[in-house]
Amino acid sequence: MKRVTLCAIAVSLALVLPPRAEAQTGPMRIGLTGGAATSSVGGDYVQVGNWAWGGVAGAFGQYFVSRETYIGLEANWVQKGGDQVAFTLGGSQDLKLEYIEIPLTLGYTQRFSGWESNLYLGLALSFEISCKTQGTSSNTSVDCDDVPGLAPKQTTDWSIPFGFGFMKNLGGSLLGLDIRYVLGLSDIFENSNIRNRSWQFTARWAVPIGS
């Protein structure tokens, strides 16, 4: 908790300090992102499910086709799932999922006085790297493939990410915050209509490249 507090203070100080110089306005940017995600699942086979917190971290690139418009490509590790998910077939489980998520986005940027705001919409393909369940009265996690009665899991997941953020010019680089909602389009398990939904809150640091 102390580390999270220190990181939050550092980000806040960086955002309120005035920029040393205008960041390079090249056609491309590369950067890193990290933060927290809160996720749940929904669908015809889910009676109720609580939101669960997890992590998100990765890297991104942006290509500006104009001063205001960019195409973004990311590669993120994301935790999803939900707590106390009650399925219509019976039983209540904590569902813990991990993905490598690759969003392709189209964004709009507005710049003003050393700041910029961003709006974006895209399509993401995720590759599952872990799927585990845990009974609400148990401390032991079990691989989804080993749960009796659970349909075979899907190893890929399509989703729609959309969100907004803002960044501050620090002189040679930019630092900011991003809020994103990811709407799952694919079933987590075959023919289950159980799908992911996730909010992601991240800090983003970027360096312009090119001329």
Side-chain angles (χ1 to χ4, degrees), residues 8-178:
I9 293 174
V11 171
S12 301
L13 289 175
L15 291 175
V16 299
L17 289 174
R20 296 187 300 272
E22 280 296 319
Q24 181 184 1
T25 56
M28 296 186 64
R29 291 177 182 174
I30 57 173
L32 300 173
T33 184
T38 181
S39 306
S40 185
V41 295
D44 293 341
Y45 288 86
V46 178
Q47 290 181 323
V48 66
N50 296 330
W51 292 77
W53 284 97
V56 54
F60 66 93
Q62 296 174 338
Y63 178 76
F64 281 80
V65 295
S66 69
R67 179 174 173 81
E68 295 85 12
T69 308
Y70 68 86
I71 298 173
L73 182 64
E74 305 178 27
N76 300 319
W77 164 80
V78 183
Q79 291 181 311
K80 296 184 180 181
D83 286 345
Q84 299 179 1
V85 180
F87 299 104
T88 56
L89 298 178
S92 180
Q93 302 279 334
D94 292 343
L95 184 60
K96 302 178 184 299
L97 305 167
E98 294 185 21
Y99 292 92
I100 297 298
E101 190 169 81
I102 304 177
L104 178 66
T105 58
L106 178 64
Y108 174 78
T109 297
Q110 184 68 46
R111 295 182 174 90
F112 51 94
S113 303
W115 292 81
E116 66 178 46
S117 60
N118 303 283
L119 293 171
Y120 59 86
L121 173 69
L123 184 67
L125 174 61
S126 301
F127 299 92
E128 182 190 280
I129 58 177
S130 177
C131 178
K132 295 183 181 296
T133 66
Q134 180 176 319
T136 54
S137 60
S138 172
N139 293 324
T140 303
S141 295
V142 180
D143 191 277
C144 294
D145 289 333
D146 298 328
V147 178
L150 198 61
K153 63 184 181 182
Q154 299 280 30
T155 57
T156 58
D157 183 79
W158 289 96
S159 58
I160 297 177
F162 56 92
F164 67 94
F166 60 90
M167 303 191 81
K168 183 174 178 61
N169 169 30
L170 301 179
S173 66
L174 300 103
L175 182 66
L177 299 173
D178 185 88

Side-chain angles (χ1 to χ4, degrees), residues 1-6:
M1 187 66 184
K2 291 182 178 179
R3 293 182 179 178
V4 174
T5 302
L6 290 175

